[in-house]
């Protein structure tokens, strides 16, 4: 679904990010004139006739068949996310993790490998390291601080590199352009989880990424109401070049031998992800969740601006506090990641960051139990400010070594700074630290 507001560089005037967060992908409803995108709460769609039905099933016509594959409300969200990322196409999923599963399912066969930064969302480390392994998908984790570590981990079987530009929870910023160059040389796609930076702060396709994944659960929906995920493709990756991606270039028996890369060209990966991954595993996004996510996204630019402003003030406050040993926020000039932040995240380093409490594990537990305004829970990117002790919660399943590597040691507290009055947030942390 495209609308007259998309103008994604195709017309003479390209609309700004703010305009596109509000309009991309949506047009007034052609039947009722409804200005907002309706919730198409339906599982299925009437065919025009028998021929239309068989064309749809053969992927020879585009249209709605069944909401496990496509739904008009979800389609608007897919178009909007693809547009904001300057991508070619996107497919939504029921959660960020479902999106990651689909992203890899379209690339990997059993026995294949991929390389991932070790600085990732804790759930991704478990998904990649434990559950994917059972499918025969082998992940090698590397320290992303030196991009050359990705090159060193390459093998004949490597089919992708996966990173977070702004890593959760440690606030590490990785050198996107350098890592993209390595994946390009190896002829494999670079997948970027852009959840914490959002398309408002970082545009990974501009730096050479090929696929972007999102947990829309976080800043895109923004209000902590709706689970969701998305996979976006740039449309620029050449699947056939090195013969590494039979899933994309060999005839698909379930669709009368059509070849995704050839038949659908620059959105072949999205078609594969939708018509095979979503079709056979079924983690589709509900129309209601797509609606809430669209509603949240309309204010993405305003929210993220304030998230960043509040986060910087709180990081500065903590940085000078006697009970705190360190603050890892790339927005601080003293951060070792500040230079990379200036390059890749010029509008701000997001609002999720970590700091160290001098008196360690027990003091961290005391802190999360003493705050009033911050909610103690496992989420990020909410309007509300959130606090978490990763070592006793999200990163609990990991070994001590993995926890330290992921920036989630026992003295670490993670904040997701919300949109409240910043003085109130500082007051709350100050009284709790006392
Ligand atoms: C939350 C999160 C995920 C997982 O998304 P869900 O929607 O919770 O499945 C993946 N990556 C990052 C960076 C996240 O913050």
């Amino acid at each position: 679904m495209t609308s007259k507001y998309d103008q994604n560089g195709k017309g003479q005037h390209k609309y700004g990010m703010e305009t596109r967060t509000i309009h991309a992908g949506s047009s007034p409803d052609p039947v009722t004139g409804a200005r907002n995108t309706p919730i198409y709460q339906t599982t299925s769609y009437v065919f025009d006739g028998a021929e239309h039905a068989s064309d749809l099933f053969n992927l020879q016509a585009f249209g709605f068949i069944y909401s496990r594959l496509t739904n008009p409300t979800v389609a608007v969200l897919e178009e909007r996310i693809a547009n904001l990322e300057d991508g070619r196409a996107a497919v939504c999923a029921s959660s960020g993790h479902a999106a990651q599963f689909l992203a890899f399912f379209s690339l990997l066969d059993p026995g294949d490998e991929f390389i991932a930064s070790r600085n990732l969302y804790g759930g991704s480390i478990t998904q990649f390291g434990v559950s994917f392994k059972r499918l025969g998908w082998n992940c090698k984790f590397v320290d992303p601080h030196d991009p050359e570590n990705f090159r060193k981990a390459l093998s004949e079987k490597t089919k992708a590199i996966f990173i977070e530009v702004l890593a959760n929870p440690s606030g590490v910023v990785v050198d996107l352009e350098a890592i993209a160059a390595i994946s390009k040389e190896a002829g494999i796609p670079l997948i970027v989880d852009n959840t914490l930076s959002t398309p408002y702060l970082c545009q990974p396709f501009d730096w050479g990424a090929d696929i972007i994944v999102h947990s829309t659960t976080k800043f895109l929906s923004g209000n902590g109401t709706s689970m969701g995920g998305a996979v976006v493709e740039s449309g620029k990756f050449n699947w056939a070049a090195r013969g590494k991606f039979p899933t994309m270039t060999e005839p698909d028996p379930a669709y009368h031998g059509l070849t995704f890369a050839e038949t659908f060209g620059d959105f072949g990966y999205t078609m594969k992800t939708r018509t095979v991954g979503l079709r056979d595993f079924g983690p589709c996004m509900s129309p209601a969740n797509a609606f809430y996510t669209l509603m949240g996204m309309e204010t993405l630019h305003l929210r993220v601006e304030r998230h960043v402003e509040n986060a910087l003030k709180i990081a500065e406050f903590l940085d000078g506090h006697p009970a705190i040993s360190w603050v890892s926020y790339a927005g601080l000039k003293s951060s070792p990641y500040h230079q990379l932040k200036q390059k890749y995240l010029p509008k701000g380093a997001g609002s999720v960051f970590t700091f160290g409490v001098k008196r360690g594990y027990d003091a961290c537990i005391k802190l999360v139990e003493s705050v009033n305004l911050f909610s103690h829970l496992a989420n990020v990117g909410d309007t509300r400010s959130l606090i978490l002790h990763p070592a006793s919660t999200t990163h609990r399943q990991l070994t001590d070594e993995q926890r330290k590597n992921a920036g989630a040691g026992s003295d670490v507290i993670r904040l997701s700074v919300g949109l409240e009055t910043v003085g109130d947030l500082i007051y709350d942390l100050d009284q709790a630290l006392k």
Side-chain angles (χ1 to χ4, degrees):
M1 232 180 237
T2 52
S3 86
K4 65 176 176 170
Y5 300 105
D6 292 355
Q7 299 288 330
N8 203 0
K10 290 169 221 140
Q12 297 89 332
H13 177 76
K14 181 176 176 177
Y15 285 122
M17 173 74 74
E18 293 79 0
T19 305
R20 290 180 289 125
T21 56
I22 296 168
H23 290 292
S26 82
S27 303
D29 183 64
V31 176
T32 61
R35 186 63 193 88
N36 209 341
T37 301
I39 304 176
Y40 287 93
Q41 193 69 39
T42 183
T43 55
S44 34
Y45 310 84
V46 177
F47 306 124
D48 292 345
E51 199 178 316
H52 178 227
S54 58
D55 285 352
L56 285 171
F57 276 94
N58 286 340
L59 304 183
Q60 283 158 352
F62 291 104
F64 299 104
I65 302 176
Y66 191 58
S67 288
R68 172 152 32 82
L69 293 167
T70 43
N71 170 278
T73 314
V74 179
V76 172
L77 178 62
E78 290 169 338
E79 186 65 29
R80 188 162 303 172
I81 294 173
N83 184 300
L84 291 185
E85 292 289 12
D86 263 335
R88 176 66 179 90
V91 51
C92 282
S94 55
S95 69
H97 269 9
Q100 288 174 191
F101 172 80
L102 294 175
F104 282 106
F105 181 73
S106 294
L107 300 175
L108 304 182
D109 281 313
D112 282 343
E113 294 176 1
F114 66 101
I115 306 168
S117 161
R118 71 181 190 188
N119 290 94
L120 295 180
Y121 174 70
S124 300
I125 295 177
T126 310
Q127 185 189 43
F128 296 172
V130 181
S131 291
F132 278 9
K133 198 179 252 167
R134 296 191 50 208
L135 305 173
W137 303 347
N138 301 309
C139 177
K140 285 187 192 163
F141 290 102
V142 301
D143 180 347
H145 290 89
D146 181 359
E148 287 305 309
N149 290 339
F150 290 90
R151 192 195 306 278
K152 286 181 203 147
L154 287 167
S155 82
E156 270 308 295
K157 293 180 184 164
T158 311
K159 296 293 173 73
I161 291 177
F162 185 99
I163 58 169
E164 290 177 25
V165 185
L166 183 61
N168 179 351
S170 46
V172 172
V173 181
V174 302
D175 193 345
L176 185 50
E177 194 174 24
I179 298 167
I182 292 166
S183 75
K184 196 172 178 112
E185 215 176 288
I188 56 175
L190 173 65
I191 308 175
V192 174
D193 180 342
N194 205 25
T195 300
L196 285 198
S197 20
T198 81
Y200 184 73
L201 295 176
C202 181
Q203 297 267 279
F205 288 151
D206 285 354
W207 301 105
D210 303 290
I211 295 166
I212 293 172
V213 294
H214 273 286
S215 166
T216 64
T217 312
K218 315 292 169 54
F219 290 99
L220 295 189
S221 74
N223 299 287
T225 59
S226 310
M227 299 296 298
V231 184
V232 193
E233 81 175 302
S234 70
K236 296 187 180 126
F237 190 80
N238 185 343
W239 300 103
R242 310 245 188 125
K244 280 180 186 255
F245 298 96
T247 56
M248 289 297 302
T249 56
E250 280 177 14
D252 191 302
Y255 286 113
H256 308 294
L258 79 73
T259 305
F260 280 92
E262 211 175 285
T263 308
F264 299 108
D266 61 359
F267 60 102
Y269 173 81
T270 302
M271 286 299 285
K272 170 94 189 180
T273 304
R274 182 188 304 289
T275 63
V276 179
L278 264 187
R279 180 196 64 190
D280 294 346
F281 296 99
C284 54
M285 181 184 273
S286 76
N289 276 12
F291 175 83
Y292 286 122
T293 306
L294 282 165
M295 196 158 86
M297 272 180 79
E298 292 183 354
T299 55
L300 179 72
H301 48 296
L302 295 175
R303 286 187 288 105
V304 172
E305 233 169 59
R306 183 62 63 87
H307 276 298
V308 165
E309 193 183 310
N310 282 359
L312 183 59
K313 285 184 184 150
I314 290 177
E316 281 166 352
F317 159 76
L318 291 169
D319 203 26
H321 198 285
I324 304 300
S325 41
W326 52 267
V327 178
S328 177
Y329 182 58
L332 291 174
K333 289 208 177 66
S334 56
S335 162
Y337 307 109
H338 191 68
Q339 248 179 335
L340 288 170
K341 177 255 156 200
Q342 295 295 74
K343 178 171 178 181
Y344 298 117
L345 303 147
K347 289 190 276 193
S351 80
V352 178
F353 67 91
T354 51
F355 60 91
V357 177
K358 277 186 189 158
R359 288 190 293 119
Y361 195 96
D362 294 338
C364 288
I365 300 277
K366 190 103 192 277
L367 174 63
V368 297
E369 288 181 340
S370 308
V371 286
N372 298 314
L373 203 47
F374 279 81
S375 303
H376 178 204
L377 57 75
N379 188 24
V380 296
D382 197 328
T383 43
R384 285 151 279 266
S385 288
L386 316 173
I387 191 166
L388 187 79
H389 181 223
S392 60
T393 54
T394 48
H395 288 62
R396 202 184 174 85
Q397 274 88 338
L398 307 185
T399 62
D400 274 348
E401 172 83 10
Q402 282 177 316
R403 270 202 288 269
K404 244 179 92 204
N405 287 342
S410 61
D411 66 327
V412 177
I413 292 285
R414 180 183 81 187
L415 298 183
S416 172
V417 177
L419 304 179
E420 301 93 335
T421 308
V422 69
D424 295 346
L425 296 173
I426 290 174
Y427 174 83
D428 193 33
L429 287 172
D430 197 34
Q431 64 80 25
L433 284 165
K434 277 172 187 148

